[in-house]
Amino acid sequence: MNLKYFLLFVLISLPGLCQELPPVINFNPNQYSAGNQNWNISQHSNRNVYVANSMGLLEFTGAEWNLYPIPNNTIVRSVQVAGDKIFTGAYMEIGYWQKNSKGVLEYTSLIPNFPGEINDGEQFWHIVYMGDVLVFQSFEGLYLCNLKTLEISRVVTPPVAITNLFKGERSVYFQMMAAGLFTIKKNQPEMVIPPEVLVDIEIMHVSQKGSSLKLISREGNFYDWDGQELRRNYFDLSEKLRNQSIFSAHSLTDNSIILGTVEQGIYHVDVNGNILYHFNQKNGLINNTVLDLFVDKDNNVWAGLDNGLSIINLDSDFMLYQDNYGNLGSVYTSLQTEDFLYVGTNQGLYFKRKDDEIFTLMDGTNGQVWSLQLIGSNLFCGHNNGTYIINGEVATRIYDHSGTWVVKNYEGNPDYYLQGHYNGISLLKEENGNFNFVGMVDKFPHSTKFLISEKGGEIWAVTEHKGVYRIQMDFPSTQVNSIENYTFEDNSGINSSIFKFNDTLYYSSREKLFQFQESENKFNAESGLGSLFDEFDLISGRLIKTSDNVLWGFLNDAVINIEAAQLSNTYKMGMVHLPNDLRNITLGYENITLLDNNSYLLGVSNGYLRFEKDFNQTLDYEIRIDKVFKAALDESPELIDLNDTPTFHYKTNNISFEYSIPEYKKFITPVYSYRLLGLSPNWSSWTEGSSVGYTNLSFGDYEFQVKAKMGTQELDPVRYSFEVSRPWYLSYLVIVLYISLLFIIAYFINKGYKRKHLRLIGEKEKELKLKNLEVEKRIMELQNEQLEKDMTGKNKELAVSTMSLIKKNEFLSSIKDKLKESKETSEVRSVIRTIDKDISEEDNWNFFKEAFNNADKDFFKKMKSRHPNLTANDLKLCAYLRLNLASKEIAPLLNISVKSVEIKRYRLRKKMELTHDSNLVDYILEV
């Protein structure tokens, strides 16, 4: 019997190993930095998720995890969001958390509100919120809490333990051990199912449907209670769940149920009891023991596990076949027929029937599979070992040439097929169901992943290193008539491809898309389709046209699709947001296949994804700023009030921001861009980081803006304004003081400058005056020298004139004397009178006086002023003495004797009252 159950369990579990499932996100304790066990989950209206963790209350914003230990540092067993409060129950503690204006949760204990003391060791396992009432459940009692007043009353003091608490559509239900199922009416317990009906059934889930109740037991049995009879149903499902313990369950809006088990993860069961999906540690979950299940506002299923947390995107547009154990490998190609789905991987060709969930390796196909092509009724498989024909579940190798990349029909030549190999191109011919090798195409030894065959027999082939070749064969032989090579400058041929789209030939590289122009016999980079791809940064030159004439390209964060518009010559473009690190397929080997009903299969490194091309990825989310920090240099950051428009002190000018979008989809990762107006008007590049900091901001007004993009949807930015205050030394008052001080300093500087300027001017003037004086002195000296020269000259002239007069007078006197000695006649007497007249004293004096005045103008005035008693004759004598003439030289001038001159000199001394020692001539010269 045990072996039977074991084999049944294995058969049930196997589909789970290979099932296409909605995506799952896992968080281990290291990621959220808290305890392993997560007992209960709830969600706020702002979409933040709260988890009752073994180390406290966990908050998840979609970007950051925050842990809040409760005051007594015990395990948090229950959590329930009610309005803006988050209620938690723990060992000997129950209370609520509320965010303050800084975005941080603060705790308020409700223990003082309890009617009396709680029991020693009491733990609060469940909290249910209904209307304005909260219900707290422990093993020892049931309590009601008025949400408005926070008054608490005990409604049940059970004789036995209360094992569980359930929320129905209109009522709250609880079970007492071996005492039945109860509800609460008018604040009193009321029996719903008596103990003799339940017997030893431990209920793990209660839901209402009309007037009946649906119950799920720990053993995995399902019951209906109509008020009179307890009926069991879903026997097949219970058989599949045999030997598994149901620990949690949750009813969905479509009446399906999520079941969490202790041993085998999560089951999604439809309204008829059929298992839709089974999630466990082998196909996606991080742990198999499910402590709680919760469905958030976006229909994501949260699983609180014994070791970690998991999120199931139950409504995802993607279905994921995830090969965590390497049983399938990386999917490089796929194809679906009426009966089978085939996937070619690095390990071989796998297949399954459409209604099956298990892939099987096709015998004889071990190794790398490169391509699958359905040509007519023949399904070809390009393999590392050659070429295979696939018929249902059987593979037959038809060509053993090593390495077949691709097989194409030879256009215009029925029953002939071209094969691209590692080392060239070959030709096959089909005859009576057999495929015969015709030969290798001559003179073409290149590896050929991509082939295009034209109706005229032309072959287009792409090589990664030498561009595109156009080959014309001498059909039916494989001899080449002509071969032409097209190369492309500044374009890497790595991962390039060639394809036909809307009857036009294109060559694509990672950098550019080229269209072949037959009239010019060249590939042209300018085309309508090429301009579309210019807007994107392709990670690979491989473009794929699926059978519905849709062209697919691969970006780093998305897969784009392009198809021709039906009513114009334009193109219609779509985008599926799917980050490359989740696809993770080798570059150049991207693959996508149309299945049916607009469904596509995308091969990835550990399985495949299935999705609809036209699904709507628009999400109703808003970005928000969660926390703002300020900090001074070398100090710890400090949270600030989010409701204010703050002014930061100029020393606390290091400002950082945390922001988030509460988004929990596996294949949608928000990216953010931000800027700080006042510092820079430019947006940053898109990044997944959800925080940013600015250091050493200068004073002024700022506005922080952050926007987000989710897939192709860009969200409006949010803003946060703040100011960094001016330093005191740059305040307006201080600036006025600075300006005043500047004016004062400028005034004193100007005054000092003026003083210095005046002093310098004075010094310069003094120097100038001194120089002028020196110049004047020099001029005077020069003038004096000139005067002296003139005086000397005039004195010389005067002396010469005087001496001339003396000589003349002496000469005339000598003539006169000689005439007197001669015979006196009238003529002699007349001559003597003439001589006497000529040497007349008066004439001599007038002549002398005029010459003397020219030499010494003021002499006579000075002498007269000093000695008013001097006569004219005295002045004449003074004049002759000033010329330093001797008495014998003066006598002829005065026409007197020398002795008479001496007498005149003596008299002159007396008039001048000169002392005996005074020299008359010296005195006269000093005047």
Side-chain angles (χ1 to χ4, degrees), residues 94 135 325 394 556 658 824:
I94 197 164
V135 184
Y325 295 91
V394 178
N556 190 56
E658 291 184 1
E824 182 177 352

Side-chain angles (χ1 to χ4, degrees), residues 763-801:
E763 291 177 355
K764 292 293 182 182
E765 288 179 348
K766 188 175 180 181
E767 289 178 5
L768 186 60
K769 285 180 180 179
L770 288 174
K771 288 182 179 180
N772 289 336
L773 288 173
E774 289 177 358
V775 171
E776 289 175 359
K777 182 180 178 183
R778 181 61 180 161
I779 292 171
M780 291 178 65
E781 289 175 352
L782 292 173
Q783 288 176 345
N784 290 335
E785 289 177 359
Q786 186 65 36
L787 288 172
E788 288 178 359
K789 289 180 180 179
D790 293 344
M791 184 65 72
T792 302
K794 290 180 179 181
N795 287 336
K796 286 181 179 180
E797 290 176 358
L798 182 60
V800 170
S801 298

Side-chain angles (χ1 to χ4, degrees), residues 58-232:
L58 264 179
E59 177 189 48
F60 188 40
T61 67
E64 298 289 336
W65 291 95
N66 301 304
L67 177 65
Y68 296 93
I70 62 171
N72 61 5
N73 290 315
T74 58
I75 298 172
V76 177
R77 299 289 187 181
S78 55
V79 61
Q80 177 63 58
V81 177
D84 61 346
K85 296 180 177 64
I86 301 102
F87 291 84
T88 54
Y91 173 81
M92 299 291 290
E93 182 60 56
I94 197 164
Y96 66 89
W97 304 80
Q98 201 164 12
K99 280 205 171 183
N100 60 23
S101 58
K102 297 179 179 180
V104 177
L105 291 177
E106 293 180 343
Y107 184 73
T108 301
S109 177
L110 291 176
I111 294 300
N113 295 19
F114 273 70
E117 295 185 356
I118 62 174
N119 297 323
D120 186 29
E122 191 166 0
Q123 297 192 62
F124 295 91
W125 288 88
H126 294 94
I127 303 174
V128 168
Y129 172 43
M130 182 168 284
D132 292 330
V133 177
L134 288 160
V135 184
F136 305 147
Q137 176 254 321
S138 70
F139 287 154
E140 289 79 11
L142 208 64
Y143 306 86
L144 299 183
C145 175
N146 186 301
L147 186 59
K148 295 181 179 179
T149 63
L150 297 180
E151 294 179 356
I152 298 175
S153 60
R154 185 192 291 265
V155 294
V156 177
T157 304
V160 292
I162 299 176
T163 58
N164 220 327
L165 179 68
F166 313 100
K167 178 182 178 181
E169 292 180 3
R170 299 179 298 275
S171 302
V172 174
Y173 301 91
F174 62 94
Q175 183 181 19
M176 288 191 288
M177 188 179 296
L181 182 69
F182 296 82
T183 187
I184 299 174
K185 286 190 177 180
K186 297 181 180 180
N187 292 343
Q188 295 295 324
E190 180 178 293
M191 179 79 70
V192 176
I193 304 178
E196 59 271 17
V197 175
L198 284 180
V199 192
D200 58 352
I201 298 173
E202 183 179 358
I203 300 173
M204 301 307 296
H205 179 70
V206 174
S207 62
Q208 288 178 297
K209 186 175 181 181
S211 59
S212 65
L213 296 180
K214 291 185 172 296
L215 312 177
I216 302 174
S217 73
R218 178 180 289 273
E219 293 78 15
N221 295 323
F222 299 82
Y223 302 91
D224 284 336
W225 171 257
D226 60 3
Q228 301 294 326
E229 182 182 2
L230 186 67
R231 294 188 302 273
R232 186 180 167 191

